[in-house]
Amino acid sequence: MERAAWEALVRQEWGAVVGGEAAAHSQPVRIRGRTLLVEVDEVGWVQELTARRSGLLAELNRRLGGPVLEEMRVRVGPHSAP
């Protein structure tokens, strides 16, 4: 599968993986290499999603069909509104 297809699938599954409240404050922006870049609207969500990173990556990889993602970076950014 190509990177664009992985990115589309991550965006599609994001809410189900992170939960409704977190999805309302965050958005996956892109995959660079094996790293998922996520933008959030408040610094508290950086801490929340970073703390949940291992579980989120495991579930995303399961939905992607294999070990596509190794890392997730979360930052406050302009693309965070879904």
Side-chain angles (χ1 to χ4, degrees):
M1 192 181 289
E2 293 184 27
R3 185 184 58 154
W6 286 331
E7 288 176 348
L9 185 55
V10 167
R11 285 186 188 104
Q12 176 183 323
E13 297 292 325
W14 186 249
V17 172
V18 301
E21 186 176 3
H25 296 277
S26 63
Q27 179 175 325
V29 177
R30 78 177 62 88
I31 296 172
R32 181 175 296 156
R34 300 192 56 153
T35 300
L36 174 64
L37 176 61
V38 177
E39 290 187 347
V40 297
D41 59 5
E42 296 176 5
V43 71
W45 288 105
V46 173
Q47 296 168 338
E48 171 72 18
L49 294 179
T50 299
R52 296 174 53 198
R53 177 176 42 215
S54 294
L56 296 175
L57 286 171
E59 181 59 20
L60 286 167
N61 280 324
R62 187 186 71 76
R63 291 173 186 239
L64 291 169
V68 174
L69 302 170
E70 291 180 350
E71 185 60 64
M72 183 175 79
R73 298 202 180 180
V74 185
R75 67 181 184 195
V76 176
H79 298 99
S80 57

